[in-house]
Amino acid sequence: MTEANTVDATLRALLADVLGLGEARAAALSEGSGLFGELPEFDSMAVATVLTEMEDRLGILIDDDEIDGEIFETYGNLLAFSLRKVTD
């Protein structure tokens, strides 16, 4: 499995767990799938939990100044951000 596939699988599992989406809904997310503001489960409280879980599960550190609303607009944006953090 490539690093990108591993990050994708980890991110989907994380969203399934944190947001309670279930595996099927998480697996159905595409690059253009809306997250914050689109998924009722993805509210401002969930953002902090998702960020903490991303750090734990992906072994990364996320600084406050790296976070903006664009990251959470779509699954593709969140995945791209995660990949950048993992490969840096």
Side-chain angles (χ1 to χ4, degrees):
M1 192 183 284
T2 67
E3 191 166 46
N5 288 347
T6 302
V7 171
D8 182 45
T10 301
L11 203 53
R12 289 176 190 278
L14 180 159
L15 292 175
D17 294 346
V18 171
L19 303 180
L21 297 180
E23 287 183 31
R25 280 181 70 198
L29 292 172
S30 69
E31 279 200 22
S33 294
L35 297 178
F36 191 80
E38 297 282 327
L39 294 175
E41 300 90 347
F42 208 140
D43 58 16
S44 56
M45 292 298 294
V47 168
T49 307
V50 166
L51 290 171
T52 302
E53 283 294 313
M54 284 171 64
E55 288 183 324
D56 291 347
R57 295 187 192 195
L58 296 172
I60 59 176
L61 285 175
I62 302 170
D63 295 319
D64 290 344
D65 63 352
E66 295 179 282
I67 301 303
D68 62 36
E70 193 175 296
I71 292 169
F72 299 105
E73 282 180 12
T74 64
Y75 180 73
N77 288 3
L78 187 61
L79 179 59
F81 173 78
S82 301
L83 284 168
R84 272 196 313 275
K85 292 298 293 179
V86 167
T87 56
D88 276 353

